[in-house]
Amino acid sequence: MKTEDVLLFPLCVFPKEIQQIIADTHRDLNFPVNYIAASLFFAVSLAIGTTRRLSAKKGWNTKCIMFMSLLGQPGAVKTHPIVFALSPFAELDKGTLLQYEQDLAEYRQLPIEQRQSKPKARQFIVKDITIEGLAKVHKDNPHGICVHSDELKGWVANFNRYRKSGGDQEQWLSLYNGGSIVCNRKSQDDISFLPESFVDVIGGLQPGVLAKLFNGEMTENGFLYRILFVNNSSEDEPLLWSDEDLPSDAEAVWRNFIMKVLSNCGYFDPKPILELSFSGEAWSYIRDWQNAKEIELAENGSDSAIAIFRKIQEYALRFCIVIHTIREASDEISDISTIDAKTVIFATILAEYFFDTAKNVYAYIIEGGENPDKFFELLNRLNTEFTTKQALIIGEQMGLSRRTIFRYLDVKPDDPFLRKLKHGHYEKKD
């Protein structure tokens, strides 16, 4: 992505104590602001899980499920902010899974006739997992779970692992809406069913693989628009090491904040699902924002922009749940069941951020997709054999960014158009 196309995550959605964590990790650990801010916001969504849902109107309910991708080149410090944000959950998982192993060992030592309920593993975070495995883990963890993949390329690539039986993509489309999980791949009497779900997804993704992953069916069925993309606003800044250590209380502040959210949401002491609704002023604001945007896009927007916004307006409702819960944990609100206008304003600001980011990503995919016109124009201007330097000179004369040119020159052995002769030297195939 071009640096000028990268927007700054709106930090206003966080209280000052969380904004300070973002500032500290950026200064002392080189965490890009957008990455750590988005990761912290995502983590609150996981802490809420199935315990809260928003009723926008009668019969229209939503959970705060999020699919999020941090975009950046290798070495762009994508993984560490996610690990930091999820560290309170990882700490809980460590304790509960150790207890599970102990309980399971004791269970297996009992005579069969004395065995009662088999121990269940409580956890929040899973890594590479099949839909069958996901259904099993989620059934034992109804609060909700998170799929964390260092590189989401593997998550998307696995969608069609079982294409003969329909593929996983349809299941993930359902999971995005908190729908049911049904798995009966092995035999008719081996069915795993979960009536409703809460599965968050987060991970990194390299811009160069976007066009290869999200083309054709992925775009046509709208799956692409369900992912919140986060760019690095400081990608061109040098990653200078600091002599300063992260303030000793930063991790503790974050852990305590997440523990408070979990407590408020009934993780430790189960509570009934909290049904949220808008105040009159809040509903008027989000309704007017949505309608004004729809009218604007109908007059001037592209088909892709309209499709993107239809998903982003849905995410705006999910953001309301998260922001409302953040403000509750910061003791900013007293009515925990009613979303006020301030929360809605913050949610629409965040929705606008992700809308603009998604438009940039979609344009990037179109530009870098298979057989783009610009690629062939560049190819035609180059000699049969050429160097990286020559490609950069001609490409920049055409108005291409250096990153786009380097992406074109990322030649694999099976590339149909180019052959890499040696480092920095290429040959056009006949």
Side-chain angles (χ1 to χ4, degrees):
M1 303 283 165
K2 297 179 181 178
T3 303
E4 59 266 26
D5 292 335
V6 180
L7 307 169
L8 183 64
F9 190 99
L11 301 183
C12 60
V13 303
F14 295 112
K16 289 183 178 179
E17 59 183 328
I18 306 304
Q19 291 184 30
Q20 187 61 52
I21 293 174
I22 294 168
D24 290 341
T25 53
H26 175 63
R27 182 192 64 237
D28 299 333
L29 300 178
N30 276 324
F31 288 1
V33 170
N34 284 4
Y35 289 171
I36 182 61
S39 298
L40 297 180
F41 192 83
F42 174 92
V44 179
S45 162
L46 177 60
I48 297 168
T50 57
T51 67
R52 297 183 171 190
R53 59 190 176 206
L54 170 60
S55 176
K57 300 173 77 172
K58 187 175 182 180
W60 182 9
N61 298 312
T62 187
K63 306 171 189 174
C64 57
I65 297 167
M66 294 185 191
F67 292 177
M68 183 177 288
S69 173
L70 309 189
L71 289 174
Q73 302 295 343
V77 196
K78 301 187 294 292
T79 299
H80 295 305
I82 299 174
V83 171
F84 181 95
L86 296 180
S87 60
F89 304 98
E91 184 180 340
L92 286 171
D93 283 358
K94 182 179 179 180
T96 55
L97 291 175
L98 286 173
Q99 184 63 49
Y100 166 73
E101 289 184 348
Q102 180 180 330
D103 293 344
L104 185 62
E106 294 174 357
Y107 172 84
R108 288 172 174 168
Q109 290 175 356
L110 292 172
I112 294 178
E113 63 273 11
Q114 295 182 19
R115 296 179 181 178
Q116 297 181 4
S117 298
K118 186 177 179 180
K120 296 179 180 180
R122 295 192 71 184
Q123 64 186 113
F124 281 101
I125 304 169
V126 297
K127 295 286 187 177
D128 183 26
I129 192 168
T130 64
I131 287 291
E132 292 99 325
L134 194 69
K136 181 181 182 302
V137 172
H138 199 343
K139 187 171 286 189
D140 292 342
N141 295 273
H143 186 96
I145 58 177
C146 162
V147 176
H148 173 210
S149 177
D150 285 343
E151 285 292 337
L152 288 179
K153 176 174 62 176
W155 173 61
V156 177
N158 282 341
F159 284 173
N160 297 327
R161 182 186 291 177
Y162 303 104
R163 174 52 64 185
K164 290 183 179 179
S165 60
D168 287 348
Q169 189 174 154
E170 291 78 10
Q171 289 276 28
W172 280 105
L173 288 169
S174 176
L175 289 171
Y176 168 81
N177 292 312
S180 62
I181 308 177
V182 183
C183 297
N184 52 3
R185 287 174 176 152
K186 295 180 180 178
S187 65
Q188 289 185 345
D189 58 357
D190 183 14
I191 298 176
S192 181
F193 174 67
L194 195 68
E196 61 176 318
S197 59
F198 188 101
V199 183
D200 276 343
V201 180
I202 192 169
L205 200 60
Q206 297 177 30
V209 304
L210 278 172
K212 298 174 183 177
L213 288 176
F214 297 107
N215 55 23
E217 183 182 357
M218 284 285 194
T219 302
E220 291 169 7
N221 65 16
F223 194 91
L224 169 69
Y225 308 132
R226 289 167 167 82
I227 299 177
L228 298 170
F229 290 103
V230 183
N231 292 328
N232 179 2
S233 61
S234 57
E235 186 171 6
D236 294 331
E237 295 179 7
L239 296 178
L240 302 179
W241 285 18
S242 170
D243 291 332
E244 300 298 324
D245 290 327
L246 186 68
S248 57
D249 66 339
E251 293 181 354
V253 169
W254 177 238
R255 181 187 181 280
N256 291 340
F257 189 85
I258 287 296
M259 292 303 116
K260 188 170 184 179
V261 173
L262 286 169
S263 179
N264 289 346
C265 292
Y267 176 75
F268 303 107
D269 182 17
K271 302 176 182 178
I273 293 175
L274 180 60
E275 302 284 353
L276 301 170
S277 60
F278 289 114
S279 69
E281 184 183 8
W283 169 250
S284 296
Y285 188 95
I286 198 167
R287 179 203 62 205
D288 293 347
W289 168 78
Q290 188 273 344
N291 289 344
K293 201 73 178 180
E294 282 283 344
I295 293 171
E296 174 190 337
L297 291 172
E299 294 175 350
N300 304 308
S302 64
D303 290 344
S304 63
I306 293 171
I308 291 168
F309 182 70
R310 296 277 165 81
K311 293 304 175 189
I312 292 299
Q313 63 176 273
E314 186 177 326
Y315 262 121
L317 300 178
R318 303 181 184 201
F319 297 158
C320 284
I321 301 173
V322 177
I323 295 169
H324 175 83
T325 305
I326 288 173
R327 295 180 62 214
E328 176 193 351
S330 300
D331 300 321
E332 290 186 26
I333 56 176
S334 56
D335 185 350
I336 65 170
S337 63
T338 303
I339 291 176
D340 63 19
K342 184 175 181 179
T343 290
V344 167
I345 291 170
F346 285 162
T348 55
I349 290 172
L350 187 56
E352 292 278 4
Y353 162 79
F354 279 113
F355 176 56
D356 290 337
T357 299
K359 287 190 296 181
N360 291 342
V361 167
Y362 186 80
Y364 183 88
I365 290 173
I366 295 301
E367 178 190 359
E370 188 176 1
N371 302 346
D373 292 340
K374 286 289 187 180
F375 170 72
F376 285 115
E377 182 181 347
L378 174 62
L379 207 61
N380 289 333
R381 294 192 184 191
L382 291 166
N383 296 326
T384 301
E385 291 188 18
F386 62 92
T387 65
T388 300
K389 182 178 180 180
Q390 291 166 341
L392 286 170
I393 293 172
I394 295 175
E396 289 177 346
Q397 289 173 351
M398 293 168 52
L400 296 173
S401 68
R402 292 174 67 87
R403 192 164 298 144
T404 296
I405 299 166
F406 279 117
R407 186 173 71 250
Y408 288 159
L409 299 182
D410 183 18
V411 178
K412 301 296 186 291
D414 59 349
D415 190 288
F417 307 111
L418 292 173
R419 181 183 297 109
K420 189 170 184 178
L421 301 176
K422 59 181 181 179
H423 181 69
H425 291 72
Y426 305 87
E427 179 183 38
K428 293 191 289 188
K429 292 183 178 180
D430 294 334

